[in-house]
Amino acid sequence: MKTTGKVTGIIANLVTIEVDGPVAQNEICYIDLSGTKLMAEVIKVNGKEAYVQVYESTRGLKTGDTAEFEGHMLEVTLGPGLLSSNYDGLQNNLETMEGVFLKRGEYTSPLDMEKLWHFTPTAEPGTEVSAADWLGEVKEGWLPHKIMVPFIYKEQYILKHVAPEGDYKVSDKIAVITDSEGNDHEITMMQKWPVKVAITAYRDKPRPYRIMETGVRCIDTFNPIAEGGTGFIPGPFGCGKTVLQHAISKQAEADVIIMAACGERANEVVEIFTEFPLLIDVHTGRHLMERTTIICNTSNMPVAAREASVYTAMTIGEYYRSMGLRVLLLADSTSRWAQALREMSNRMEELPGADAFPMDLPAIISNFYARAGLVNLNNGKTGSVTFIGTVSPAGGNLKEPVTESTKKSARCFYALSQSRADKKRYPAVDPIDSYSKYLEYPEIVSDLSTRVNKEWVEKVMKGKNIILRGKEAYEQINILGDDGVPIEYHRKFWKSELIDFIILQQDAFDKIDSVTSLERQEYMYSLVIDICEKDFSFEDFEECGTFYKGLINILRQMNYSEFKSENFNKYLEQLNKEINNGR
Ligand code: ADP
Ligand code: MG
């Protein structure tokens, strides 16, 4: 028997309902608005009164309208066909719709129910199985999509039957498992899972121990992110958050990309829809979209749907992680998500925390980031979800609550600076404020020393120090004038410019410069550090500037030319000549 109820109060999307039976926190219900069913989620229960947030506009809803409670939480449907799909936060398939927006009360099927998938069994009948164990596989694009024991089957079962190789729909029976009491359970290729509950059907979650190459130099060389790690990109509007995330998604060592475009302006979401399908995967030359799922909401969609989208995205990420794949989850921007939380909390008249955000904002953010990670699956393989979110702090103020809370949870901090963006120094990641805590992990240091070279982290610290000294020198020169400081100040400044122009700045739109392999990053960075360790002598600051500007020009040309190509060697020769030119 479903619990039902009657609407007693409405404040925008927050509706109070008098119920006739039990309701659970986060349970889903449908409110009947003259035949149109509006989906809503329980966010507070007080005796016979349930507070629900409606995922749609409540225009026209009246007191006395009826509601029916579903007995389960907001769920996401998991199965083959998620990739290359565009969904909204409630997993409505936006491709099957006209335009980006759905009509009120309209929900679409997330998966193609008619499509046939070629299934190959991999598990033997008679073996013991449990949640997330692999039973077989279908090809989704060119990725192996594992068909797993659904995550709800947490106990041990005996695999009674598995379907022979052949073509099946997602709803066809492909296996039967038997529980300890002898009851059979039928398994299909699709399953449902509540979005706000982490999928934990794995053996353990060790600390991340290897880096994830992104091809972006200011990340890989200076502040690497770990596979299964977390990072965030705060930055004011127009500083390059979206460009940086796109660059990472094109190039990173990941099998699956999940893009949560949450609550940005409608035109930005349309941009993602039009731009993402055009992005080309630098590893395979194929469309990135083939292994991408986009979950999007705009700020003009109802607040509850915006809140749901990041959870939907994370759950899909965890699903692919269980298949032993490397998932990269991107959210742009988590500020809109936090604003959705704030709107809800304010309507509920909860005691507000800083800037009227909910008191438990730090806990909500940290619980979310904690769902990322590298895991050891029960079969001994690994899978990972690496999460990078952007934050758009109002007025670029990094002291606001969302940035502060995120800083406590994310291990990498890529601060975009307005002044760097104004000077067109892209990506505008501030080399002094930004950091990667992974550089302090002995496991990561040792991974870098085998993958790159033994003294790598030491060398990185050297470079960071040069940047810092350069900034100090620059400030002194600004105060005292070019002539007012010893030549040493100019040398320090130009050394930091060398690192800035050659390593940190990277043109996301140049065919070659946009992606730099780790091998090439090592080569270029070592070259630059070697030059920085030489102290050339100059007559005056002008000569100093001219010399380093010359080096920057030649080195930049090297960035734009194919590694080890004729052009590259030509510039290298020129560089050596310049350096040895009597100095
Ligand atoms: P945000 O998402 O922070 O509002 P965008 O990512 O849309 O900002 O970037 C704004 C503009 O900055 C881009 O349209 C582009 O012209 C420029 N830009 C940002 N990053 C780079 C880059 N790495 N290389 C070249 N141009 C860039
Ligand atoms: Mg943007």
Side-chain angles (χ1 to χ4, degrees):
M1 258 301 279
K2 279 180 178 174
T3 296
T4 59
K6 277 197 164 53
V7 172
T8 55
I10 306 158
I11 317 166
N13 286 64
L14 178 69
V15 173
T16 48
I17 297 174
E18 196 182 284
V19 291
D20 65 4
V23 290
Q25 175 71 320
N26 296 112
E27 185 172 341
I28 291 297
C29 74
Y30 288 96
I31 304 177
D32 192 336
L33 190 158
S34 355
T36 306
K37 303 267 188 210
L38 304 182
M39 193 175 177
E41 178 180 345
V42 176
I43 49 174
K44 182 170 153 181
V45 190
N46 187 5
K48 286 272 160 233
E49 202 168 33
Y51 294 70
V52 305
Q53 55 178 348
V54 185
Y55 292 123
E56 321 238 6
S57 157
T58 51
R59 189 170 12 90
L61 193 66
K62 340 180 262 307
T63 51
D65 282 347
T66 57
E68 214 175 65
F69 291 77
E70 294 298 299
H72 64 76
M73 291 193 261
L74 178 63
E75 291 173 327
V76 50
T77 302
L78 304 168
L82 293 169
L83 297 183
S84 64
S85 294
N86 295 331
Y87 295 118
D88 71 6
L90 303 180
Q91 217 192 359
N92 289 299
N93 201 329
L94 297 175
E95 256 145 333
T96 60
M97 304 307 304
E98 285 290 307
V100 177
F101 302 104
L102 293 178
K103 280 209 213 79
R104 202 153 56 139
E106 201 166 343
Y107 305 104
T108 69
S109 167
L111 297 177
D112 185 338
M113 303 302 287
E114 297 306 317
K115 183 173 172 159
L116 292 174
W117 296 89
H118 191 76
F119 173 78
T120 313
T122 52
E124 288 294 324
T127 47
E128 272 207 347
V129 291
S130 175
D133 282 350
W134 302 348
L135 299 175
E137 134 184 349
V138 301
K139 279 266 175 294
E140 188 175 12
W142 77 97
L143 275 182
H145 184 117
K146 307 290 180 196
I147 303 302
M148 296 175 276
V149 175
F151 305 125
I152 51 163
Y153 296 116
K154 293 202 171 107
E155 313 293 316
Q156 288 296 322
Y157 297 79
I158 300 293
L159 181 60
K160 184 173 176 183
H161 163 80
V162 59
E165 181 172 348
D167 294 338
Y168 301 90
K169 292 185 199 165
V170 285
S171 56
D172 287 341
K173 179 178 87 179
I174 57 101
V176 177
I177 57 175
T178 311
D179 64 25
S180 56
E181 272 147 36
N183 302 315
D184 285 350
H185 304 267
E186 288 189 357
I187 290 175
T188 66
M189 291 199 270
M190 62 191 267
Q191 58 171 313
K192 291 188 173 208
W193 187 259
V195 297
K196 287 187 184 162
V197 179
I199 296 170
T200 53
Y202 47 76
R203 190 182 297 158
D204 59 353
K205 197 177 194 177
R207 212 156 80 139
Y209 53 83
R210 54 183 185 231
I211 72 150
M212 183 185 77
E213 192 178 323
T214 67
V216 178
R217 296 189 291 264
C218 67
I219 295 179
D220 294 352
T221 296
F222 253 42
N223 292 308
I225 187 156
E227 182 193 335
T230 51
F232 84 114
I233 309 172
F237 176 73
C239 282
K241 298 184 291 296
T242 305
V243 171
L244 185 56
Q245 276 202 337
H246 282 197
I248 296 170
S249 56
K250 268 192 306 196
Q251 298 156 197
E253 294 175 292
D255 303 305
V256 170
I257 315 286
I258 317 273
M259 176 82 218
C262 69
E264 287 295 312
R265 274 157 291 264
N267 61 343
E268 283 177 296
V269 169
V270 172
E271 248 170 51
I272 287 189
F273 275 131
T274 49
E275 279 172 20
F276 229 90
L278 300 178
L279 297 183
I280 298 293
D281 178 341
V282 299
H283 302 293
T284 59
R286 303 173 68 138
H287 284 285
L288 191 64
M289 207 47 215
E290 288 178 43
R291 53 189 184 86
T292 300
T293 300
I294 299 179
I295 316 283
C296 95
N297 287 128
T298 59
S299 351
N300 48 5
M301 284 183 181
V303 51
R306 278 188 270 149
E307 195 233 327
S309 62
V310 294
Y311 293 101
T312 301
M314 180 58 94
T315 311
I316 295 176
E318 289 171 335
Y319 174 61
Y320 281 98
R321 170 170 73 186
S322 309
M323 299 176 204
L325 298 173
R326 296 167 302 180
V327 178
L328 174 63
L329 176 65
L330 301 164
D332 189 13
S333 103
T334 60
S335 295
R336 314 279 173 205
W337 168 49
Q339 280 159 12
L341 293 171
R342 171 162 70 183
E343 275 178 48
M344 283 322 300
S345 144
N346 293 1
R347 266 178 221 153
M348 299 249 298
E349 297 174 355
E350 283 173 355
L351 213 54
D355 280 5
F357 282 105
M359 289 278 238
D360 53 351
L361 181 75
I364 294 172
I365 291 180
S366 93
N367 285 337
F368 186 77
Y369 274 79
R371 286 176 70 170
L374 178 90
V375 300
N376 291 317
L377 303 173
N378 291 326
N379 61 10
K381 304 235 176 1
T382 62
S384 59
V385 172
T386 308
F387 177 60
I388 303 178
T390 67
V391 176
S392 28
N397 164 28
L398 296 187
K399 291 272 172 274
E400 56 86 46
V402 184
T403 314
E404 294 252 282
S405 307
T406 310
K407 221 170 165 177
K408 289 185 195 121
S409 313
R411 312 252 97 200
C412 292
F413 178 61
Y414 304 117
L416 298 191
S417 110
Q418 183 76 57
S419 73
R420 278 183 76 80
D422 291 345
K423 288 187 217 146
K424 302 265 175 282
R425 296 193 171 198
Y426 291 121
V429 174
D430 189 301
I432 292 171
D433 292 346
S434 303
Y435 59 78
S436 161
K437 294 248 172 81
Y438 296 113
L439 282 175
E440 296 163 17
Y441 286 26
E443 305 91 314
I444 296 287
V445 173
S446 101
D447 181 48
L448 283 168
S449 77
T450 43
R451 266 181 78 167
V452 191
N453 78 40
K454 268 219 192 78
E455 289 87 35
W456 185 250
V457 174
E458 226 171 278
K459 216 177 251 190
V460 169
M461 295 307 162
K462 252 183 213 164
K464 289 188 170 197
N465 198 33
I466 292 170
I467 292 278
L468 194 61
R469 297 283 97 79
K471 188 182 180 215
E472 288 163 7
Y474 178 72
E475 280 160 7
Q476 289 298 311
I477 296 169
N478 259 350
I479 297 167
L480 302 168
D482 284 332
D483 277 329
V485 296
I487 196 89
E488 177 57 20
Y489 283 61
H490 288 276
R491 205 158 35 208
K492 279 191 174 145
F493 165 67
W494 279 106
K495 282 179 182 176
S496 75
E497 288 287 274
L498 203 60
I499 296 181
D500 193 342
F501 274 93
I502 310 310
I503 305 301
L504 302 179
Q505 292 177 44
Q506 188 170 3
D507 186 350
F509 304 107
D510 180 82
K511 200 173 129 277
I512 296 171
D513 195 31
S514 59
V515 48
T516 312
S517 68
L518 212 53
E519 183 198 5
R520 189 173 168 142
Q521 291 190 45
E522 184 206 1
Y523 182 86
M524 291 303 289
Y525 185 64
S526 300
L527 194 61
V528 168
I529 292 293
D530 283 349
I531 298 172
C532 288
E533 293 197 317
K534 292 189 173 66
D535 276 331
F536 303 99
S537 53
F538 304 105
E539 290 288 316
D540 54 26
F541 73 87
E542 271 169 4
E543 199 190 37
C544 174
T546 312
F547 173 73
Y548 280 104
K549 272 184 227 165
L551 293 189
I552 286 173
N553 257 332
I554 301 167
L555 281 158
R556 256 177 104 91
Q557 297 302 329
M558 284 166 76
N559 273 350
Y560 291 140
S561 69
E562 216 88 57
F563 196 31
K564 287 170 183 156
S565 74
E566 232 169 80
N567 267 348
F568 190 83
N569 290 331
K570 185 185 89 195
Y571 293 122
L572 188 60
E573 253 170 57
Q574 216 177 318
L575 180 75
N576 280 325
K577 230 182 268 166
E578 186 82 2
I579 291 172
N580 296 324
N581 206 359
R583 298 179 198 277

